Amino acid sequence: MAERYDCHYCKESLFGRKYVLREENPYCVKCYENLYSNSCEECKKSIGCSSRDLSYKDRHWHDDCFHCFKCSRSLVDKPFSTKDDQLLCTECYSNEYSSKCHECKKTIMPGSKKMEHKGNSWHETCFTCQHCQQPIGTKNFIHKDNSNYCVPCYEKQFAMQCIQCKKPITTGGVTYRDQPWHKDCFLCTGCKQQLSGQRFTSRDDFAYCLNCFCNLYAKKCATCTSPISGLGGSKYISFEERQWHNNCFNCKKCSISLVGRGFLTARDEIMCPECGKYV
């Protein structure tokens, strides 16, 4: 007598009928579909044994239900994207959500390389120098008047030339007597230190730091022999081709300040009238 071969769930005979094995137990098709089949996300019907079950992130579809939410084209065996749990073909996703190239206005397809600057995006081949039309790629560039320029083209087209070295000034220049200089080129004629950011003066169209100018050209105080710059509104006293700092113009005897007061001279010395009586 033949051994019975029944459905594990309903116990009906499976002889001469289709069945499905699950965990080594046989099920008739009806029981298997009722117990284990997934529901289609699109039509909400059971995905039977005779249909292919397409799954993505624990969600399931019939073959015929697996299509683009926008254009309804089948996505079976095709690349796709998702947005807000909706399936989209690559073209619809790109048209709806992908960046548009700032140059050609076409969609930048997902996965393709794009260049970005100040909120705008370009295809790699569209991100070119306005002047030479060569791709900029990852090289340095300068943005001017809504256009991008590679550094060599920008320097040729727009950059001022340093009056000293004749090379382009791209950043941080200095203007002196209406002429452009690099900061590194604008130096004291005497000590060759940079003058940018510090006080300076000039003589015969040559720029000098204050120290060099005073040491080279300023008159010397008759009392302390230090230079009298006269710059920045500093005051000094001059008498008979001699000069004094204000705080050095004092009586030789009693050291009282003689600024704004009468004084006497005795050879190379100056004195207040009171001390002068005894000379």
Side-chain angles (χ1 to χ4, degrees), residues 101-104 106-108 112-115 121-130 132-138:
C101 176
H102 188 68
E103 180 65 24
C104 70
K106 295 180 180 178
T107 299
I108 301 174
S112 61
K113 192 170 183 180
K114 68 177 179 179
M115 314 303 291
S121 301
W122 290 261
H123 293 108
E124 186 178 20
T125 53
C126 293
F127 192 60
T128 59
C129 171
Q130 178 71 18
C132 69
Q133 298 301 310
Q134 293 300 306
I136 294 173
T138 57

Side-chain angles (χ1 to χ4, degrees), residues 93-200:
Y93 181 88
S94 299
N95 291 335
E96 197 75 20
Y97 303 110
S98 291
S99 303
K100 300 293 189 293
C101 176
H102 188 68
E103 180 65 24
C104 70
K105 311 306 179 187
K106 295 180 180 178
T107 299
I108 301 174
M109 299 300 286
S112 61
K113 192 170 183 180
K114 68 177 179 179
M115 314 303 291
E116 295 181 315
H117 176 65
K118 291 188 174 179
N120 293 320
S121 301
W122 290 261
H123 293 108
E124 186 178 20
T125 53
C126 293
F127 192 60
T128 59
C129 171
Q130 178 71 18
H131 183 68
C132 69
Q133 298 301 310
Q134 293 300 306
I136 294 173
T138 57
K139 294 182 292 187
N140 291 331
F141 68 95
I142 297 169
H143 188 75
K144 179 179 174 63
D145 299 332
N146 295 322
S147 297
N148 299 314
Y149 296 85
C150 64
V151 173
C153 285
Y154 179 85
E155 291 179 348
K156 291 176 183 177
Q157 292 285 107
F158 305 109
M160 293 184 293
Q161 306 293 315
C162 174
I163 194 68
Q164 177 68 20
C165 70
K166 311 305 180 187
K167 295 180 180 179
I169 301 172
T170 55
T171 56
V174 175
T175 300
Y176 174 63
R177 294 186 181 273
D178 295 326
Q179 293 179 324
W181 305 67
H182 288 113
K183 286 184 178 181
D184 294 341
C185 294
F186 190 54
L187 309 176
C188 170
T189 304
C191 66
K192 306 303 180 186
Q193 296 297 308
Q194 279 193 34
L195 295 177
S196 175
Q198 64 169 303
R199 293 175 62 198
F200 65 92

